[in-house]
Amino acid sequence: YVNFMNNPDEETAAAQFGTGDKYFGVCTLMCTLPGLPMFGHGQVEGFRERYGMEYRRARWEEAPDAGLVERHRREIFPLLHRRKQFAEAAEFLLYEAADGGAVADGIFAYSNRVDGQASLVVYNNRYEAAAGWVYRSVPYLDKKAGALRTRHLGEGLGLRGGHDDYVIFREHPGGREYLRRSRDLCERGLFVDLSGYEYRVLLDFVEVADRTGIYAALAHRLGGGPVPSIAAAVEDLRTEPARGALESLLETCRPVLAGRAAAAGAEVETALGLFLDEAALLGHQTDR
């Protein structure tokens, strides 16, 4: 399959979809659905003049839209670098997003998996906000069994779904990371809440066994929210008792040392104050 947003017989992509969120949502679908994405002439630059083989040169004096090109660099080009993850259809699954039995018709949701790497793409193709649970795939033909079947999200992502398993994944284009209980994804799916024309590509799914309970504690603290790094958040949670004890010690020592510094002179007081501030900062960064 070849996926495209415009061709020489149609209006340009910028004319049909604009250059805002709707364009980038549809362009994300073009780049993450199985097949080959094809960009039209001048599409990345935002040109609006139709282009045909009979044209020897452009008739309009158009300059590239620098902001549009830069947004392509941030949001679209990284997906193109991972085309292998989206190109095949063997593990592709299309889902309905539903909430309380009502299907959100405007939400596109699909997963794919290749060489153990899973992805989930969701996009709201409406101006109005939409939400729903992505859980059960629409029926597809199982060629080996010769019958229609469905799979749940955990199967689509290749999860074990054990009692102590947790899943870490990253959101594109924001780059934030999320933590979810693996069994919840297998039994309930993933709830998505999207504003108008909003898209999210979820990547780098990693399933980890929670042998110490640290991931369960972090998941409870985050309440489903994102953080810049789950690994850093785990480390912060693990070292929290030691950092708390160090900060308490520093607060106890601060008035004593500051008092002695006042007797020795203002310069020493300033130096000790800087030392205590640096030590407090260090307390946030060390696990000792």
Side-chain angles (χ1 to χ4, degrees):
Y1 296 96
V2 176
N3 308 323
F4 57 87
M5 297 174 65
N6 72 288
N7 61 50
D9 298 323
E10 301 174 339
E11 294 295 332
T12 63
Q16 293 186 71
F17 301 98
T19 57
D21 292 340
K22 181 177 182 178
Y23 168 86
F24 280 93
V26 177
C27 191
T28 297
L29 298 188
M30 183 184 81
C31 296
T32 57
L33 281 166
L36 176 68
M38 182 181 73
F39 288 81
H41 172 75
Q43 179 175 331
V44 173
E45 295 88 346
F47 292 165
R48 293 177 178 268
E49 181 183 9
R50 289 179 57 179
Y51 176 80
M53 296 301 294
E54 70 274 15
Y55 295 174
R56 297 186 62 182
R57 62 180 181 274
R59 299 178 181 180
W60 297 359
E61 292 291 337
E62 294 186 278
D65 184 333
L68 185 67
V69 174
E70 180 57 31
R71 189 170 175 183
H72 276 88
R73 294 186 188 278
R74 295 195 313 268
E75 301 184 23
I76 301 302
F77 295 171
L79 299 176
L80 297 175
H81 282 289
R82 303 180 68 147
R83 271 300 302 162
K84 181 180 179 181
Q85 194 166 343
F86 310 114
E88 301 297 329
E91 294 294 330
F92 176 85
L93 290 174
L94 181 67
Y95 303 86
E96 288 182 338
D99 190 15
V103 175
D105 294 330
I107 294 182
F108 289 79
Y110 50 89
S111 67
N112 211 335
R113 189 157 48 95
V114 59
D115 296 336
Q117 290 186 314
S119 61
L120 176 66
V121 179
V122 292
Y123 165 60
N124 177 23
N125 193 38
R126 296 280 178 86
Y127 177 80
E128 300 82 9
W133 287 91
V134 177
Y135 174 58
R136 179 67 62 178
S137 76
V138 299
Y140 68 94
L141 178 62
D142 186 333
K143 295 182 179 179
K144 292 183 180 180
L148 293 176
R149 62 165 297 193
T150 65
R151 285 190 280 177
H152 60 68
L153 180 62
E155 293 176 290
L157 299 177
L159 304 179
R160 298 185 301 267
H163 181 271
D164 296 324
D165 291 332
Y166 281 79
V167 181
I168 302 168
F169 55 92
R170 181 176 62 85
E171 176 191 46
H172 175 82
R176 301 174 298 179
E177 294 187 351
Y178 292 81
L179 181 67
R180 292 289 190 278
R181 189 166 180 253
S182 182
R183 180 166 290 186
D184 288 344
L185 294 180
C186 294
E187 296 179 351
R188 301 176 58 196
L190 180 69
F191 186 78
V192 295
D193 189 355
L194 304 170
S195 59
Y197 301 120
E198 181 182 2
Y199 82 87
R200 297 177 194 165
V201 181
L202 307 180
L203 300 162
D204 302 329
F205 286 83
V206 177
E207 195 171 26
V208 294
D210 188 18
R211 297 184 177 88
T212 65
I214 189 72
Y215 287 103
L218 179 60
H220 178 74
R221 174 171 293 190
L222 295 179
V227 290
S229 168
I230 292 295
V234 167
E235 190 64 18
D236 282 346
L237 187 59
R238 181 180 288 117
T239 60
E240 192 173 80
R243 289 187 288 107
L246 178 58
E247 290 172 0
S248 177
L249 176 62
L250 290 173
E251 286 301 316
T252 301
C253 293
R254 183 185 292 272
V256 176
L257 295 178
R260 292 183 179 178
E267 292 185 2
V268 178
E269 182 178 7
T270 301
L272 278 176
L274 291 174
F275 167 77
L276 289 172
D277 291 337
E278 290 294 330
L281 178 62
L282 179 64
H284 286 283
Q285 300 173 343
T286 183
D287 59 354
R288 295 193 177 101

